[in-house]
Amino acid sequence: GITRRPRRYAWNDFWARQPASLRGDFKAVPGGYRVVLRGAGTKRLRLEATDEGDLRVEGVLLPTPATQATLLRAAKARGPVTERLLARLANNSYGRVDEVIRMPADAALAKATRDDRDDSVVILVPRKPPRRRAVGRRLVREASYPPVVCGPGAGYYW
């Protein structure tokens, strides 16, 4: 016979089809940068460095069971519960995320650390060490003094 998927999986499938906006904060701190991603389910997001040195964030943000119940109550109060209505009530807070966070050129993503908290993820990205300059001074040709002036014919110099 036909088996029904548990409600929990249907709910996950629904949110995986909805676009969501990433919410968070980016701040320069001593020694590097701090990126904070906020919202329920941010722990499940995948983070990776792009070839350009930016931070790609992808995954699905799912509402907690309590938030799910609140969304369903609000939808039922407005009439028949539809996917469109649920998505509108969620206001892009839940669903599929696939975004790139532009990082400064001196960000060392390979050495970044991730700290999962209750309703957020904090990523600390250190700065790359400054490039060392070559030791010594560059030779520069100085203008001669007094200036050489060319006169009215070949071989005439002042």
Side-chain angles (χ1 to χ4, degrees):
I2 298 175
T3 58
R4 272 183 71 121
R5 293 184 77 180
R7 248 183 113 141
R8 174 177 59 142
Y9 295 117
W11 189 254
N12 293 356
D13 290 345
F14 165 71
W15 290 116
R17 293 190 310 270
Q18 306 303 316
S21 297
L22 196 58
R23 288 170 170 73
D25 209 14
F26 179 89
K27 186 175 185 180
V29 295
Y33 305 95
R34 182 176 62 211
V35 179
V36 180
L37 306 176
R38 291 187 177 85
T42 52
K43 293 177 188 176
R44 290 187 291 269
L45 295 175
R46 287 181 308 282
L47 308 173
E48 63 183 28
T50 65
D51 293 338
E52 294 80 25
D54 298 324
L55 180 64
R56 178 179 217 104
V57 181
E58 56 185 340
V60 178
L61 293 172
L62 298 172
T64 63
T67 305
Q68 176 182 335
T70 302
L71 283 170
L72 288 172
R73 274 194 308 275
K76 287 177 184 174
R78 288 172 171 77
V81 177
T82 63
E83 287 187 357
R84 187 174 177 188
L85 177 60
L86 281 172
R88 194 177 79 211
L89 290 172
N91 195 26
N92 292 338
S93 295
Y94 308 105
R96 174 153 303 286
V97 172
D98 188 4
E99 295 189 28
V100 175
I101 300 171
R102 303 234 357 140
M103 299 298 292
D106 66 344
L109 276 174
K111 297 179 181 177
T113 59
R114 175 181 177 153
D115 182 16
D116 293 327
R117 300 191 178 166
D118 291 335
D119 61 346
S120 64
V121 173
V122 178
I123 303 116
L124 294 174
V125 183
R127 283 189 172 97
K128 293 177 184 172
R131 291 180 132 180
R132 302 192 110 204
R133 292 184 178 179
V135 178
R137 292 179 44 182
R138 209 171 101 199
L139 294 177
V140 178
R141 184 179 173 140
E142 296 181 15
S144 60
Y145 187 79
V148 177
V149 178
C150 187
Y156 178 82
Y157 293 99
W158 187 77

PDB file of all heavy atoms in Angstrom, residues 94-111:
ATOM      1  N   TYR A  94      12.397  31.392   7.315  1.00  0.00           N
ATOM      2  CA  TYR A  94      12.643  29.952   7.238  1.00  0.00           C
ATOM      3  C   TYR A  94      12.624  29.530   5.782  1.00  0.00           C
ATOM      4  O   TYR A  94      11.875  30.058   4.976  1.00  0.00           O
ATOM      5  CB  TYR A  94      11.574  29.170   8.024  1.00  0.00           C
ATOM      6  CG  TYR A  94      11.436  29.677   9.428  1.00  0.00           C
ATOM      7  CD1 TYR A  94      10.348  30.451   9.810  1.00  0.00           C
ATOM      8  CD2 TYR A  94      12.427  29.427  10.371  1.00  0.00           C
ATOM      9  CE1 TYR A  94      10.239  30.953  11.091  1.00  0.00           C
ATOM     10  CE2 TYR A  94      12.334  29.922  11.648  1.00  0.00           C
ATOM     11  CZ  TYR A  94      11.233  30.683  12.009  1.00  0.00           C
ATOM     12  OH  TYR A  94      11.136  31.185  13.271  1.00  0.00           O
ATOM     13  N   GLY A  95      13.466  28.560   5.451  1.00  0.00           N
ATOM     14  CA  GLY A  95      13.538  28.050   4.092  1.00  0.00           C
ATOM     15  C   GLY A  95      14.977  27.829   3.672  1.00  0.00           C
ATOM     16  O   GLY A  95      15.897  27.812   4.487  1.00  0.00           O
ATOM     17  N   ARG A  96      15.152  27.669   2.353  1.00  0.00           N
ATOM     18  CA  ARG A  96      16.471  27.381   1.793  1.00  0.00           C
ATOM     19  C   ARG A  96      17.299  28.651   1.723  1.00  0.00           C
ATOM     20  O   ARG A  96      16.848  29.677   1.248  1.00  0.00           O
ATOM     21  CB  ARG A  96      16.344  26.795   0.384  1.00  0.00           C
ATOM     22  CG  ARG A  96      17.688  26.607  -0.295  1.00  0.00           C
ATOM     23  CD  ARG A  96      17.736  25.536  -1.326  1.00  0.00           C
ATOM     24  NE  ARG A  96      17.368  24.222  -0.865  1.00  0.00           N
ATOM     25  CZ  ARG A  96      18.117  23.425  -0.092  1.00  0.00           C
ATOM     26  NH1 ARG A  96      19.276  23.837   0.357  1.00  0.00           N
ATOM     27  NH2 ARG A  96      17.710  22.237   0.248  1.00  0.00           N
ATOM     28  N   VAL A  97      18.537  28.538   2.210  1.00  0.00           N
ATOM     29  CA  VAL A  97      19.499  29.639   2.179  1.00  0.00           C
ATOM     30  C   VAL A  97      20.666  29.220   1.298  1.00  0.00           C
ATOM     31  O   VAL A  97      21.181  28.108   1.424  1.00  0.00           O
ATOM     32  CB  VAL A  97      20.022  29.954   3.604  1.00  0.00           C
ATOM     33  CG1 VAL A  97      21.145  30.957   3.555  1.00  0.00           C
ATOM     34  CG2 VAL A  97      18.909  30.433   4.485  1.00  0.00           C
ATOM     35  N   ASP A  98      21.055  30.097   0.398  1.00  0.00           N
ATOM     36  CA  ASP A  98      22.249  29.890  -0.419  1.00  0.00           C
ATOM     37  C   ASP A  98      22.797  31.276  -0.735  1.00  0.00           C
ATOM     38  O   ASP A  98      22.432  31.885  -1.728  1.00  0.00           O
ATOM     39  CB  ASP A  98      21.932  29.121  -1.695  1.00  0.00           C
ATOM     40  CG  ASP A  98      23.181  28.735  -2.470  1.00  0.00           C
ATOM     41  OD1 ASP A  98      24.302  28.999  -1.981  1.00  0.00           O
ATOM     42  OD2 ASP A  98      23.046  28.178  -3.574  1.00  0.00           O
ATOM     43  N   GLU A  99      23.648  31.766   0.147  1.00  0.00           N
ATOM     44  CA  GLU A  99      24.163  33.130   0.021  1.00  0.00           C
ATOM     45  C   GLU A  99      25.669  33.154   0.190  1.00  0.00           C
ATOM     46  O   GLU A  99      26.254  32.261   0.805  1.00  0.00           O
ATOM     47  CB  GLU A  99      23.513  34.043   1.063  1.00  0.00           C
ATOM     48  CG  GLU A  99      22.023  34.215   0.845  1.00  0.00           C
ATOM     49  CD  GLU A  99      21.414  35.275   1.737  1.00  0.00           C
ATOM     50  OE1 GLU A  99      22.127  36.208   2.122  1.00  0.00           O
ATOM     51  OE2 GLU A  99      20.224  35.155   2.029  1.00  0.00           O
ATOM     52  N   VAL A 100      26.271  34.200  -0.350  1.00  0.00           N
ATOM     53  CA  VAL A 100      27.717  34.403  -0.246  1.00  0.00           C
ATOM     54  C   VAL A 100      27.953  35.695   0.516  1.00  0.00           C
ATOM     55  O   VAL A 100      27.389  36.732   0.175  1.00  0.00           O
ATOM     56  CB  VAL A 100      28.374  34.462  -1.641  1.00  0.00           C
ATOM     57  CG1 VAL A 100      29.852  34.805  -1.524  1.00  0.00           C
ATOM     58  CG2 VAL A 100      28.190  33.144  -2.365  1.00  0.00           C
ATOM     59  N   ILE A 101      28.767  35.621   1.544  1.00  0.00           N
ATOM     60  CA  ILE A 101      29.144  36.792   2.331  1.00  0.00           C
ATOM     61  C   ILE A 101      30.523  37.232   1.844  1.00  0.00           C
ATOM     62  O   ILE A 101      31.487  36.471   1.928  1.00  0.00           O
ATOM     63  CB  ILE A 101      29.174  36.466   3.838  1.00  0.00           C
ATOM     64  CG1 ILE A 101      27.797  36.006   4.298  1.00  0.00           C
ATOM     65  CG2 ILE A 101      29.665  37.668   4.633  1.00  0.00           C
ATOM     66  CD1 ILE A 101      27.776  35.451   5.704  1.00  0.00           C
ATOM     67  N   ARG A 102      30.599  38.427   1.307  1.00  0.00           N
ATOM     68  CA  ARG A 102      31.872  38.957   0.811  1.00  0.00           C
ATOM     69  C   ARG A 102      32.796  39.252   1.983  1.00  0.00           C
ATOM     70  O   ARG A 102      32.404  39.922   2.924  1.00  0.00           O
ATOM     71  CB  ARG A 102      31.643  40.217  -0.017  1.00  0.00           C
ATOM     72  CG  ARG A 102      30.713  39.980  -1.168  1.00  0.00           C
ATOM     73  CD  ARG A 102      31.159  40.343  -2.509  1.00  0.00           C
ATOM     74  NE  ARG A 102      32.430  40.954  -2.616  1.00  0.00           N
ATOM     75  CZ  ARG A 102      33.276  40.669  -3.595  1.00  0.00           C
ATOM     76  NH1 ARG A 102      32.952  39.789  -4.477  1.00  0.00           N
ATOM     77  NH2 ARG A 102      34.428  41.279  -3.677  1.00  0.00           N
ATOM     78  N   MET A 103      33.994  38.735   1.897  1.00  0.00           N
ATOM     79  CA  MET A 103      34.988  38.927   2.953  1.00  0.00           C
ATOM     80  C   MET A 103      36.091  39.859   2.456  1.00  0.00           C
ATOM     81  O   MET A 103      36.398  39.868   1.263  1.00  0.00           O
ATOM     82  CB  MET A 103      35.598  37.579   3.358  1.00  0.00           C
ATOM     83  CG  MET A 103      34.605  36.576   3.909  1.00  0.00           C
ATOM     84  SD  MET A 103      33.772  37.087   5.416  1.00  0.00           S
ATOM     85  CE  MET A 103      35.104  37.056   6.577  1.00  0.00           C
ATOM     86  N   PRO A 104      36.703  40.628   3.358  1.00  0.00           N
ATOM     87  CA  PRO A 104      37.828  41.475   2.960  1.00  0.00           C
ATOM     88  C   PRO A 104      38.994  40.622   2.460  1.00  0.00           C
ATOM     89  O   PRO A 104      39.117  39.438   2.790  1.00  0.00           O
ATOM     90  CB  PRO A 104      38.205  42.198   4.248  1.00  0.00           C
ATOM     91  CG  PRO A 104      36.990  42.124   5.109  1.00  0.00           C
ATOM     92  CD  PRO A 104      36.312  40.836   4.755  1.00  0.00           C
ATOM     93  N   ALA A 105      39.864  41.229   1.671  1.00  0.00           N
ATOM     94  CA  ALA A 105      40.989  40.500   1.072  1.00  0.00           C
ATOM     95  C   ALA A 105      41.942  39.935   2.120  1.00  0.00           C
ATOM     96  O   ALA A 105      42.596  38.920   1.878  1.00  0.00           O
ATOM     97  CB  ALA A 105      41.756  41.420   0.121  1.00  0.00           C
ATOM     98  N   ASP A 106      42.002  40.547   3.313  1.00  0.00           N
ATOM     99  CA  ASP A 106      42.941  40.055   4.328  1.00  0.00           C
ATOM    100  C   ASP A 106      42.314  39.048   5.287  1.00  0.00           C
ATOM    101  O   ASP A 106      42.914  38.703   6.299  1.00  0.00           O
ATOM    102  CB  ASP A 106      43.562  41.217   5.103  1.00  0.00           C
ATOM    103  CG  ASP A 106      42.548  41.973   5.949  1.00  0.00           C
ATOM    104  OD1 ASP A 106      41.335  41.820   5.719  1.00  0.00           O
ATOM    105  OD2 ASP A 106      42.981  42.727   6.844  1.00  0.00           O
ATOM    106  N   ALA A 107      41.127  38.537   4.979  1.00  0.00           N
ATOM    107  CA  ALA A 107      40.475  37.542   5.833  1.00  0.00           C
ATOM    108  C   ALA A 107      41.073  36.153   5.569  1.00  0.00           C
ATOM    109  O   ALA A 107      41.171  35.721   4.433  1.00  0.00           O
ATOM    110  CB  ALA A 107      38.975  37.520   5.574  1.00  0.00           C
ATOM    111  N   ALA A 108      41.467  35.463   6.633  1.00  0.00           N
ATOM    112  CA  ALA A 108      42.059  34.119   6.527  1.00  0.00           C
ATOM    113  C   ALA A 108      40.981  33.080   6.835  1.00  0.00           C
ATOM    114  O   ALA A 108      40.906  32.567   7.953  1.00  0.00           O
ATOM    115  CB  ALA A 108      43.236  33.990   7.480  1.00  0.00           C
ATOM    116  N   LEU A 109      40.133  32.764   5.852  1.00  0.00           N
ATOM    117  CA  LEU A 109      39.028  31.824   6.074  1.00  0.00           C
ATOM    118  C   LEU A 109      39.503  30.419   6.442  1.00  0.00           C
ATOM    119  O   LEU A 109      38.807  29.691   7.132  1.00  0.00           O
ATOM    120  CB  LEU A 109      38.136  31.755   4.835  1.00  0.00           C
ATOM    121  CG  LEU A 109      37.085  32.846   4.739  1.00  0.00           C
ATOM    122  CD1 LEU A 109      36.349  32.776   3.414  1.00  0.00           C
ATOM    123  CD2 LEU A 109      36.111  32.763   5.888  1.00  0.00           C
ATOM    124  N   ALA A 110      40.693  30.057   5.999  1.00  0.00           N
ATOM    125  CA  ALA A 110      41.220  28.720   6.312  1.00  0.00           C
ATOM    126  C   ALA A 110      41.441  28.548   7.818  1.00  0.00           C
ATOM    127  O   ALA A 110      41.434  27.435   8.325  1.00  0.00           O
ATOM    128  CB  ALA A 110      42.521  28.477   5.558  1.00  0.00           C
ATOM    129  N   LYS A 111      41.598  29.658   8.542  1.00  0.00           N
ATOM    130  CA  LYS A 111      41.836  29.594   9.986  1.00  0.00           C
ATOM    131  C   LYS A 111      40.613  30.029  10.800  1.00  0.00           C
ATOM    132  O   LYS A 111      40.723  30.271  11.999  1.00  0.00           O
ATOM    133  CB  LYS A 111      43.033  30.476  10.346  1.00  0.00           C
ATOM    134  CG  LYS A 111      44.324  30.005   9.711  1.00  0.00           C
ATOM    135  CD  LYS A 111      45.468  30.905  10.065  1.00  0.00           C
ATOM    136  CE  LYS A 111      46.752  30.419   9.400  1.00  0.00           C
ATOM    137  NZ  LYS A 111      47.862  31.323   9.679  1.00  0.00           N
TER     138      LYS A 111
END
